[in-house]
Each structure stands twice: as structure tokens, then as C-alpha cells.
Amino acid sequence: MLTRAFAERFAEEWISAWNSHDLNHILSHYSDDFTMHSPRIAALTAEQSGVLHGKSAVGDYWRLALANAPELHFTLIAVYLGADSVALHYHGVSGPAVEVFFFDPQGRVRLAGAHYAP
């Protein structure tokens, strides 16, 4: 089971990585075979399912997303702790968002899902 301390540390590091716009720093939080679910994947790529598998595919998507949003900055609103997941509620370039992260035994994200307000 995850701890509050783990969730808070992850949130701080994750927000900092995205605000740095350093793709390698961002990707360091994820396992090589992680899966990302986001409606924005379908908006920016040819993958209409909104799901990408693997660090390489997601890295390519995020590289494109960072290039399209040079003003990107996330502000953390809240951290929610689950038994084996962490949800971050934050404010991004398009408004509020929630991302849910599931972790592998090494503490890296193996599955993530992004959710956006309409």
C-alpha cells in the first residue's frame, strides 16, 4: 500500500518535472512499458483510442505536446491517495485536470489516466 509521504513526494517531483519542460526528467517517473490514457492523445496523434503503450510512444506524444504548449505550467491543487494509486488534481494550460497514477513495485508509474474538465 502507498503512503501519504510517497504521494506527496511524487506530486512535488511530477509537477516540478513538467514545469521544467525537461522530457527526460518527466519520463524518469515512468516504467518502460507504461500505458497512458488521455483524450488529448487522440487530439494530437493518429491514435484515436486515446491510449499509448510504452515510454517511447508516450515520449513522442509528450514531445509534441510540449512543443505545442511552450507556456505549459502546472499548479498543484490537491493530492489524493489510494491503496495502489495516486491522483493529482492540478491546474494546467487548459484549466483543471486530474491524473491518476498506478505504480510498479519500484515506485514508477505503470499506468496513468488523464481527465480534463470540459
Side-chain angles (χ1 to χ4, degrees), residues 28-113:
S28 72
H29 295 95
Y30 298 86
S31 67
D32 289 339
D33 61 346
F34 92 98
T35 300
M36 181 71 203
H37 297 248
S38 172
R40 298 216 171 129
I41 289 170
L44 286 179
T45 73
E47 182 51 62
Q48 293 305 297
S49 70
V51 179
L52 292 173
H53 302 281
K55 190 182 274 191
S56 178
V58 178
D60 290 344
Y61 159 63
W62 284 342
R63 185 175 294 105
L64 178 61
L66 286 166
N68 284 330
E71 73 288 354
L72 180 135
H73 181 84
F74 295 160
T75 302
L76 186 63
I77 297 169
V79 179
Y80 303 97
L81 178 63
D84 63 348
S85 62
V86 171
L88 301 183
H89 182 195
Y90 62 92
H91 192 274
V93 291
S94 301
V98 173
E99 288 200 38
V100 181
F101 306 89
F102 291 85
F103 297 87
D104 68 13
Q106 292 74 41
R108 292 173 302 174
V109 177
R110 63 175 178 79
L111 175 66

